[in-house]
Amino acid sequence: MMERIEIDTPQGPGVLVVSDAPDAVTTLLLGHGAGGQLDALDLLALAEELPGRGVRVVRFEQPWRTAGRKVSAPPARLDEAWQSAVDEVTSRWPGRLVTGGRSAGARVACRTAEASGAAAVICLAFPLHPPGRPEKTRLPELLTPTVPVLVCQGTRDTFGNAALVRQEVAGAQRAGGIDVVVIGGADHGMKVRRSDALDAAGVRSMIVSVVEDFLNGLEQPAAG
């Protein structure tokens, strides 16, 4: 069962969409991309499947989207509103917090990982660079967290395919490690073609599975 909770942020009202799990130890807070879709394939899959596996999933709708605007706010404003969501989530549900999101939401989670106190970060379709502009890299953002990072990246992602993301992070010196999982045939929206080995259901299943395994592999939070 989903619950919508409106929260105040310095950028105006935002919304938490909560898919709760009884006795959850981990809360996964996810942000949407620049398109503002909380029902994107990957976000919705995690919200629908993980609560049944003991993980509370909270999707955060940024204030610009709640207000009905079509253009995303600048990064600093996204980060500020996100921190309000983090504060609200941690006050309501103490325990382990893992943050993440898709595309622009993944960038926010990476930039704010330390401030949010996240135990790990999950990046769905991290936009390594604008399409056709590989020189404008966002690699420093992906390297910012000092906690474990999971990246689920498609082989046809025009914002940086899985092979490129793997190549870019391979030699990076950072704590925590970055695990890049290849989603075969998927584009930036995690969509696949009829000719690809994975269909939409397969993509959904794979993302849920790898995220669950990643969460289960994290160090267990201290009691109390």
Side-chain angles (χ1 to χ4, degrees):
M1 185 176 69
M2 291 191 304
E3 179 185 9
R4 291 177 61 88
I5 303 171
E6 187 171 297
I7 66 169
D8 292 326
T9 85
Q11 301 302 321
V15 174
L16 300 176
V17 180
V18 184
S19 300
D20 212 346
D23 304 318
V25 173
T26 300
T27 298
L28 175 58
L29 175 62
L30 297 170
H32 57 72
Q37 295 177 313
L38 288 182
D39 61 351
L41 182 151
D42 39 20
L43 297 180
L44 188 60
L46 296 175
E48 289 182 341
E49 298 295 335
L50 288 184
R53 308 180 192 196
V55 179
R56 178 184 298 107
V57 179
V58 181
R59 290 169 289 164
F60 176 55
E61 183 178 76
Q62 284 275 353
W64 68 268
R65 182 66 174 176
T66 302
R69 294 192 291 272
K70 296 183 179 180
V71 178
S72 175
R77 295 183 183 178
L78 295 176
D79 294 357
E80 189 176 44
W82 177 258
Q83 191 58 50
S84 294
V86 168
D87 293 344
E88 185 70 24
V89 166
T90 54
S91 67
R92 285 175 178 265
W93 302 288
R96 178 166 61 189
L97 175 69
V98 175
T99 61
R102 81 159 349 267
S103 194
R107 295 179 63 192
V108 173
C110 286
R111 291 193 299 261
T112 61
E114 182 176 359
S116 69
V121 176
I122 294 173
C123 299
L124 307 166
F126 185 86
L128 188 64
H129 59 73
R133 301 290 302 278
E135 73 281 0
K136 294 183 69 66
T137 182
R138 285 117 175 206
L139 180 62
E141 291 182 349
L142 185 55
L143 301 180
T144 295
T146 57
V147 294
V149 175
L150 171 68
V151 182
C152 295
Q153 202 80 3
T155 56
R156 294 192 302 117
D157 194 326
T158 56
F159 288 76
N161 62 37
L164 180 60
V165 174
R166 275 189 167 174
Q167 175 184 318
E168 291 290 295
V169 304
Q173 299 297 316
R174 62 178 294 280
I178 300 176
D179 185 12
V180 181
V181 173
V182 178
I183 310 297
D187 63 12
H188 191 62
M190 294 296 177
K191 295 178 181 178
V192 291
R193 302 162 296 191
R194 290 184 179 180
S195 58
D196 291 313
L198 280 177
D199 59 10
V203 171
R204 176 188 171 101
S205 177
M206 184 176 184
I207 290 173
V208 171
S209 177
V210 298
V211 169
E212 181 184 20
D213 287 348
F214 175 74
L215 294 176
N216 288 340
L218 296 176
E219 182 177 335
Q220 292 299 311

